[in-house]
Amino acid sequence: ARETERGKGRGVILIPAFAVGRAQAVLNDLRILIDTGRIPNMKVFLDGRMSIAATQVHRQYEEDLDAATRAVFDQGKDPFRTPKFEQCKVWQESEALMTPQSEPIIIVGSSGMANGGRIVGHLQHRLTGRNNTVAFIGYQGTGTLGHSLVRFADNPPASIQKCEAPCPKTVRVQGKQLTVRAKVEFMSDYSAHADYSDILWWLKQMKRRPVKTFIVHGDEDALAGLQERIRSTLNWTVEVPKPRESVYLT
């Protein structure tokens, strides 16, 4: 987070993250980065009732987590808690973070594509500040606020065209047109979706070839690409349904 901007306090790092699974992975990684001295010991806020509840469920069922995370619990530590960690359980606590900050902070909140949840309010408040950073950590679906913002990153995902000058850096958030002065970062490391090779492996396990296969989740280019992969590799009949199309199964 960058230094103080006149009248706006210290910089804030916003990390939109899905409440279940993704937020917990981010918190665990932030704890590791701080404990090993790779980033400063900043205050970390988990903002969102669902994110807080899902994190508690992860703690409750620690035996179902991977060996590395269980080892942290065995040491008497909480893998999802950084040294300076706070939870915003009620909206008043979230709103308090929109005041000028006396030190750099990190806010982790849902949704991961910034299309709802408390993170949207933080974005509306912080996108215009040059000392703030928004870090997107996974796929951003077409039509989402996250999709609109990652165009301004130095390294947007391959599926999204970078906004080159003189492209105006503006987005509409909750009905307001905002100039994006904050730094936008993108990293795909947390993406949890299977790629086409994983999907083909899974399909090959079927003992009976389906009469017809439908692909219904993804952007148009990705759907068309997977359709062709399945056709050429498995010689299956594959369709990508159109919006509002009806299909009768016999």
Side-chain angles (χ1 to χ4, degrees), residues 39 56 71 88 90-91 126 137 148-149 179 190 192 202 217:
I39 64 173
Q56 186 56 37
C88 300
V90 295
W91 67 266
R126 299 289 179 184
I137 55 174
S148 298
L149 285 170
T179 298
Y190 289 86
W202 181 75
H217 184 66

Side-chain angles (χ1 to χ4, degrees), residues 202-214:
W202 181 75
L203 293 174
K204 288 177 181 178
Q205 310 310 306
M206 296 186 181
K207 295 180 180 180
R208 295 176 58 188
R209 185 170 75 172
V211 175
K212 187 177 293 186
T213 302
F214 298 95

Side-chain angles (χ1 to χ4, degrees), residues 108-166:
V108 180
S110 60
S111 68
M113 297 184 189
N115 223 36
R118 292 181 185 168
I119 198 69
V120 178
H122 291 298
L123 287 168
Q124 182 178 354
H125 190 69
R126 299 289 179 184
L127 281 175
T128 58
R130 299 182 187 278
N131 60 337
N132 301 319
T133 298
V134 186
F136 288 98
I137 55 174
Y139 173 78
Q140 301 299 309
T142 303
T144 64
L145 177 56
H147 186 279
S148 298
L149 285 170
V150 294
R151 296 181 299 126
F152 307 136
D154 292 334
N155 60 327
S159 60
I160 299 177
Q161 185 174 1
K162 183 178 179 180
C163 182
E164 300 283 3

Side-chain angles (χ1 to χ4, degrees), residues 39-191:
I39 64 173
N41 186 11
M42 301 167 61
K43 280 188 178 180
V44 176
F45 294 85
L46 180 60
D47 190 6
R49 291 177 297 177
M50 184 181 292
S51 298
I52 293 170
T55 303
Q56 186 56 37
V57 171
H58 278 66
R59 296 187 183 104
Q60 185 176 349
Y61 295 95
E62 62 180 80
E63 67 276 6
D64 294 326
L65 303 178
D66 61 29
T69 310
R70 293 199 305 272
V72 178
F73 279 113
D74 291 342
Q75 297 169 13
K77 298 180 180 179
D78 184 343
F80 312 119
R81 179 179 290 274
T82 61
K84 298 179 181 179
F85 179 73
E86 295 187 32
Q87 299 181 142
C88 300
K89 296 181 179 179
V90 295
W91 67 266
Q92 292 91 339
E93 294 170 329
S94 177
E95 193 173 69
L97 296 180
M98 298 183 191
T99 59
Q101 298 297 308
S102 60
E103 61 181 314
I105 64 171
I106 299 173
I107 300 175
V108 180
S110 60
S111 68
M113 297 184 189
N115 223 36
R118 292 181 185 168
I119 198 69
V120 178
H122 291 298
L123 287 168
Q124 182 178 354
H125 190 69
R126 299 289 179 184
L127 281 175
T128 58
R130 299 182 187 278
N131 60 337
N132 301 319
T133 298
V134 186
F136 288 98
I137 55 174
Y139 173 78
Q140 301 299 309
T142 303
T144 64
L145 177 56
H147 186 279
S148 298
L149 285 170
V150 294
R151 296 181 299 126
F152 307 136
D154 292 334
N155 60 327
S159 60
I160 299 177
Q161 185 174 1
K162 183 178 179 180
C163 182
E164 300 283 3
C167 173
K169 296 181 67 173
T170 61
V171 293
R172 183 171 292 276
V173 184
Q174 294 182 330
K176 295 182 179 181
Q177 195 74 17
L178 302 177
T179 298
V180 180
R181 299 186 181 93
K183 178 71 172 177
V184 179
E185 300 281 1
F186 173 78
M187 54 192 297
S188 61
D189 304 57
Y190 289 86
S191 180

Side-chain angles (χ1 to χ4, degrees), residues 213-220 222-228 231 238-243 245:
T213 302
F214 298 95
I215 309 176
V216 298
H217 184 66
D219 292 332
E220 290 184 7
L223 293 172
L226 181 58
Q227 180 185 34
E228 180 56 33
R231 281 175 176 170
V238 187
E239 290 188 10
V240 179
K242 297 179 176 60
E245 179 181 351

